[in-house]
Amino acid sequence: MKNDKLTSAQESVLKQAAKTGTLKSSELTIKGGARKKVLESLTSRGFLISLKEPNTYDISPQGKAAIGFEDKPASKDKGKIRTGTKLHTVIELLARPEGAAIEEIMDKTGWQKHTVRGTFAGALKKRLGLTIESEKPEGQDRIYRITAGLETVL
């Protein structure tokens, strides 16, 4: 490229984009024509990526490299489940002393039967190493509950 050096304005825009992830041009301290010129320059050089939403940008890997920003690899913490997810809801239901029936899990998550069963086998047993036991009380639906491994997940 003709000019690989960044101006202080360009550098501050890239740093803000790296810090916040998605950058809205209205959030910048640079105003008017200068803001437009900086954003056009960074976009044309491939440092910023213009998103579908108007006046919204994302930083590219080249932009991160230009300011010396290194992505920290996402930790592969297999044991922790984010709260508020459907998987977390399933674990909470199965962790109760009374356990849960597949139909109850279907109601709480909006999943179909095959998805619930697949979650038991894949995410809970294989990936998280939980022990799930089931029992069939006479005249009732099969009840599932987590009997071991819960301390490593929550």
Side-chain angles (χ1 to χ4, degrees), residues 59-134:
I59 189 167
S60 69
Q62 295 90 344
K64 289 179 182 178
I67 58 170
F69 183 84
E70 290 185 30
D71 275 332
K72 295 179 181 138
S75 69
K76 298 279 183 177
D77 190 6
K78 291 177 106 180
K80 301 296 177 187
I81 299 297
R82 289 180 300 147
T83 58
T85 62
K86 290 181 181 181
L87 185 58
H88 188 262
T89 302
V90 171
I91 292 171
E92 285 180 331
L93 291 170
L94 295 175
R96 301 180 306 185
E98 66 270 20
I102 286 183
E103 286 74 20
E104 183 180 5
I105 295 170
M106 288 170 55
D107 288 341
K108 298 282 186 186
T109 61
W111 289 344
Q112 295 181 3
K113 267 186 188 177
H114 66 275
T115 306
V116 174
R117 285 193 226 100
T119 300
F120 288 175
L124 301 181
K125 287 182 177 180
K126 288 181 184 174
R127 195 181 90 197
L128 297 174
L130 299 175
T131 303
I132 300 175
E133 293 181 1
S134 71

Side-chain angles (χ1 to χ4, degrees), residues 5-154:
K5 292 192 178 192
L6 296 174
T7 65
S8 61
Q10 290 171 332
E11 190 173 339
S12 72
V13 167
L14 286 177
K15 284 181 180 177
Q16 186 173 346
K19 186 173 83 176
T20 60
T22 302
L23 176 72
K24 293 192 179 286
S25 62
S26 60
E27 298 170 348
L28 296 174
T29 56
I30 306 167
K31 301 293 179 203
R35 173 175 47 195
K36 184 178 177 185
K37 198 165 196 163
V38 167
L39 292 172
E40 284 176 357
S41 170
L42 291 172
T43 305
S44 69
R45 293 169 68 181
F47 293 153
L48 285 180
I49 301 164
S50 183
L51 301 177
K52 285 184 179 179
E53 188 178 327
N55 300 316
T56 307
Y57 302 87
D58 194 6
I59 189 167
S60 69
Q62 295 90 344
K64 289 179 182 178
I67 58 170
F69 183 84
E70 290 185 30
D71 275 332
K72 295 179 181 138
S75 69
K76 298 279 183 177
D77 190 6
K78 291 177 106 180
K80 301 296 177 187
I81 299 297
R82 289 180 300 147
T83 58
T85 62
K86 290 181 181 181
L87 185 58
H88 188 262
T89 302
V90 171
I91 292 171
E92 285 180 331
L93 291 170
L94 295 175
R96 301 180 306 185
E98 66 270 20
I102 286 183
E103 286 74 20
E104 183 180 5
I105 295 170
M106 288 170 55
D107 288 341
K108 298 282 186 186
T109 61
W111 289 344
Q112 295 181 3
K113 267 186 188 177
H114 66 275
T115 306
V116 174
R117 285 193 226 100
T119 300
F120 288 175
L124 301 181
K125 287 182 177 180
K126 288 181 184 174
R127 195 181 90 197
L128 297 174
L130 299 175
T131 303
I132 300 175
E133 293 181 1
S134 71
E135 66 176 292
K136 175 91 168 89
E138 200 161 319
Q140 296 179 12
D141 290 334
R142 184 168 293 279
I143 301 295
Y144 297 85
R145 71 179 53 85
I146 297 173
T147 57
L150 202 58
E151 60 281 345
T152 63
V153 176
L154 297 177

